[in-house]
Amino acid sequence: MNSAHSIPPGTLDTLKVSQHDRDLAGLTYVYPVLSRRAGGVSVGINLNPNNACNWHCAYCQVPDLVRGKAPDIDLLLLEHELSGFLADLIHGDWMERFVPEGSRAIRDIAFSGNGEPTSAEVFAEAVDRVLRVRDAFGLAADAVPVRLITNGSLLAQARVQDGVRRLGAGGGEVWFKVDAGTTAGIERINGVRLEPAAVARNLARCAELCPTWVQTCVFRWDGAAPEEAELDAYLDVLAQAGIARLKGVLLYGVARPSRQPEAVHVSRLSEAEIEQIADRIRRKGLTVRVSP
């Protein structure tokens, strides 16, 4: 098995927030990220090494993205890779070699990767394995939570609910993607035809099983900022799910270039424009964390 120490010199440069390649550590399922939102090193778990997702988001940075679900997962390999990588981070010199000074702390372990992680048939079992490894290293749940970054579209399935429930029991949390509040907006941004009411139902289910943040990417489309009507519809989805159920909103802009054909439509909002949107959300009684 590869380990972080076996990386040839020059293969991995200093981590940057603008660089989230999933193969940086030379492993199948485990990869490092310098996360803006987490505020340090996020240890990623990629259950979609086949670059398959059931959505096709316009701003997605995954190269060669295809429609589909996660492949069969080797849980033993996943557990070995995570154990070896955490050992390098905690007991080795990996942080000094590859992480900028001031960011050398493990902030979370995150199911994210190159597609929708809950599409893995063994998602719940993977949650158990990751929690077990985290605990074996003495990493407290409040200091290094296990997070699920998801589009939430599969939350109606019992096996996904089981995994999210186990995550919640292990002190984890969910970052649930909601980028739009109309059918047309969801189709344009996320590449799927989905009714907003279904998004609200899945978000409510998720929040009942595990502490849940909404994660929302905002940007210009063909030079135009999000329309007022679209923002109103987005806020209505959160209201339908239940404002009191939610931990808050992680509002972020486009930090890395999209690798999808739709990239030609996507451009950044200014920090001031994102803050204006954040203020609208706060007026609904939600905590908002902004990562421009």
Side-chain angles (χ1 to χ4, degrees):
M1 182 194 70
N2 290 334
S3 74
H5 281 306
S6 68
I7 301 170
T11 301
L12 178 61
D13 200 353
T14 302
L15 289 185
K16 307 176 183 69
V17 296
S18 59
Q19 183 184 40
H20 280 201
D21 292 344
R22 306 326 193 209
D23 58 355
L24 286 177
L27 304 173
T28 299
Y29 299 117
V30 176
Y31 64 98
V33 164
L34 190 58
S35 173
R36 292 179 294 159
R37 286 172 286 168
V41 175
S42 175
V43 179
I45 306 295
N46 182 14
L47 299 184
N48 302 78
N50 59 348
N51 293 3
C53 189
N54 62 340
W55 284 22
H56 182 98
C57 296
Y59 54 80
C60 182
Q61 72 272 13
V62 174
D64 303 317
L65 184 69
V66 296
R67 296 277 186 174
K69 66 177 185 177
D72 292 338
I73 304 299
D74 184 337
L75 290 171
L76 184 60
L77 178 59
L78 168 60
E79 190 168 355
H80 285 335
E81 286 189 351
L82 182 58
S83 295
F85 194 64
L86 287 178
D88 281 343
L89 290 176
I90 296 168
H91 304 302
D93 63 352
W94 202 94
M95 289 283 198
E96 287 72 23
R97 293 169 66 198
F98 300 118
V99 181
E101 192 172 356
S103 299
R104 293 171 183 166
I106 305 173
R107 295 302 186 191
D108 67 11
I109 302 171
F111 286 94
S112 180
N114 287 9
E116 174 50 43
T118 65
S119 68
E121 291 296 327
V122 294
F123 168 66
E125 291 83 355
V127 169
D128 281 345
R129 299 278 183 125
V130 169
L131 288 171
R132 184 167 67 199
V133 172
R134 190 271 313 269
D135 293 347
F137 277 87
L139 300 172
D142 58 346
V144 184
V146 176
R147 292 186 168 116
L148 166 65
I149 301 176
T150 177
N151 63 35
S153 61
L154 304 178
L155 254 296
Q157 298 183 17
R159 62 170 189 82
V160 176
Q161 293 177 20
D162 184 33
V164 173
R165 186 181 295 109
R166 296 184 197 188
L167 184 67
E173 66 181 24
V174 176
W175 292 1
F176 187 112
K177 180 192 298 293
V178 183
D179 292 325
T182 65
T183 302
I186 295 168
E187 188 167 16
R188 174 167 52 86
I189 296 172
N190 304 125
V192 290
R193 188 160 185 83
L194 192 62
E195 292 298 323
V199 177
R201 285 195 299 272
N202 282 334
L203 179 56
R205 286 188 184 106
C206 189
E208 289 171 357
L209 298 169
C210 184
T212 299
W213 290 81
V214 172
Q215 60 159 0
T216 301
C217 186
V218 289
F219 50 87
R220 293 181 177 276
W221 184 273
D222 289 338
E227 297 179 355
E228 293 295 314
E230 187 66 54
L231 291 173
D232 287 340
Y234 161 84
L235 291 170
D236 188 54
V237 168
L238 304 193
Q240 288 180 50
I243 296 294
R245 289 190 177 106
L246 304 174
K247 297 287 289 182
V249 174
L250 304 170
L251 190 68
Y252 64 105
V254 179
R256 301 178 301 279
S258 168
R259 297 188 184 180
Q260 311 313 315
E262 296 82 2
V264 295
H265 301 289
V266 176
S267 58
R268 299 189 65 171
L269 289 168
S270 70
E271 186 170 349
E273 288 171 319
I274 297 176
E275 284 291 349
Q276 287 178 349
I277 296 172
D279 285 342
R280 287 196 59 179
I281 300 170
R282 291 185 183 108
R283 288 199 292 269
K284 294 294 183 180
L286 282 158
T287 298
V288 182
R289 297 179 182 171
V290 176
S291 300

